[in-house]
Amino acid sequence: QLQLVESGGGLVQPGGSLRLSCTASELILDNFGIGWFRQAPGKEREGVSWISNNGAFTYHVDSVKGRFTISRDNAKNTVYLQMINLKPEDTAVYYCAKVASVMALRAGRGDYWGQGTQVTISS
């Protein structure tokens, strides 16, 4: 069964950067669109970014446009989320999942969720 593992979270100051990674256990990642979600304490899970199976199409929610970039390296079986100019409101647990489309991302529909990686933005 496909497993996704997130890594790269941490504590950074406002304005800082992080790169999250989502690595798949099987060499079939290029069959799937992948989405990144986040969930802050006391808030609902939010779809943040999505990338198509071949990387040709990407989507970012308005609150992160211009600051987050999703990319993938199928040879490494990994999807990345590069985050710059981080803000305190970006603090959350970030999850990746197999997501079929932008519509599915917006609806919170995903499969094979990872365990999440904590991102904390604080001075």
Side-chain angles (χ1 to χ4, degrees):
Q1 180 173 330
L2 177 66
Q3 291 184 326
L4 300 176
V5 178
E6 303 94 339
S7 61
L11 170 64
V12 298
Q13 294 184 342
S17 301
L18 283 172
R19 188 177 77 161
L20 306 183
S21 298
C22 172
T23 301
S25 59
E26 299 179 10
L27 296 177
I28 54 173
L29 191 66
D30 57 355
N31 290 340
F32 308 132
I34 296 291
W36 281 98
F37 298 80
R38 65 185 180 186
Q39 187 164 22
K43 294 188 177 181
E44 293 187 355
R45 188 171 58 201
E46 173 190 29
V48 175
S49 301
W50 179 83
I51 189 165
S52 61
N53 64 324
N54 61 3
F57 299 99
T58 62
Y59 165 83
H60 299 283
V61 71
D62 285 348
S63 60
V64 306
K65 278 182 181 177
R67 300 188 299 120
F68 290 13
T69 302
I70 189 170
S71 63
R72 66 192 302 157
D73 184 340
N74 287 341
K76 294 184 178 180
N77 235 28
T78 300
V79 172
Y80 302 99
L81 187 66
Q82 178 69 50
M83 307 185 295
I84 66 171
N85 192 21
L86 285 160
K87 304 176 181 181
E89 51 264 42
D90 295 318
T91 295
V93 179
Y94 283 70
Y95 301 89
C96 65
K98 172 180 170 289
V99 178
S101 65
V102 172
M103 185 177 298
L105 180 86
R106 289 174 172 171
R109 294 197 304 268
D111 296 308
Y112 306 108
W113 294 87
Q115 83 291 346
T117 185
Q118 177 70 49
V119 171
T120 303
I121 312 304
S122 175
S123 55

